[in-house]
Amino acid sequence: QVQLVESGGGLVQAGGSLRLSCAASGRAFSTDNMAWFRQAPGKEREFVASISESGYFTYYADSVKGRFTISRDNAKNTMYLQMNSLKPEDTAVYFCSGGGSGARPSGFNYWGQGTQVTVSS
């Protein structure tokens, strides 16, 4: 069983940056693919980015490509999402997830509780 805790969310102006962290505990997550999803009010949870267990392969939603960077430090059991050039439409609760693959929430086995990101215009 893996527990995930996100941190780093907050309020930022458009054009600004935030770095989200996802700390895993319970067992090492170095053998699992990991991902970030987000959910805005009234919308479905959507894929943001994913990273392979080694960190070698990364995938991004078109809406964040070139602005967001996903990374992981397996020695620290932590995954990150560096978000630059933030836009108001990036406002959402951001969730980290693991133990799965693909771009659908149903494809991942465990989740964090989420962290709020609000981008003001």
Side-chain angles (χ1 to χ4, degrees):
Q1 189 75 13
V2 178
Q3 292 79 44
L4 301 177
V5 178
E6 302 96 335
S7 61
L11 174 64
V12 64
Q13 288 189 333
S17 298
L18 282 174
R19 189 194 196 202
L20 305 184
S21 298
C22 173
S25 62
R27 66 168 176 83
F29 77 158
S30 59
T31 59
D32 292 344
N33 295 325
M34 301 293 294
W36 288 97
F37 287 80
R38 67 186 182 186
Q39 188 166 17
K43 295 188 176 181
E44 294 186 351
R45 193 168 297 189
E46 66 173 5
F47 173 79
V48 175
S50 63
I51 188 167
S52 61
E53 64 272 18
S54 66
Y56 188 80
F57 296 102
T58 57
Y59 304 92
Y60 296 92
D62 288 342
S63 59
V64 306
K65 202 171 294 182
R67 300 187 298 120
F68 291 10
T69 302
I70 189 172
S71 62
R72 65 191 298 166
D73 184 339
N74 287 342
K76 296 182 178 180
N77 269 13
T78 303
M79 177 177 67
Y80 305 97
L81 185 68
Q82 178 67 43
M83 305 186 294
N84 298 328
S85 302
L86 282 161
K87 305 175 181 180
E89 50 264 42
D90 294 318
T91 296
V93 177
Y94 283 71
F95 298 89
C96 65
S97 61
S101 62
R104 296 181 178 180
S106 59
F108 287 81
N109 294 326
Y110 50 88
W111 294 81
Q113 82 290 347
T115 186
Q116 176 71 46
V117 171
T118 302
V119 184
S120 63
S121 58

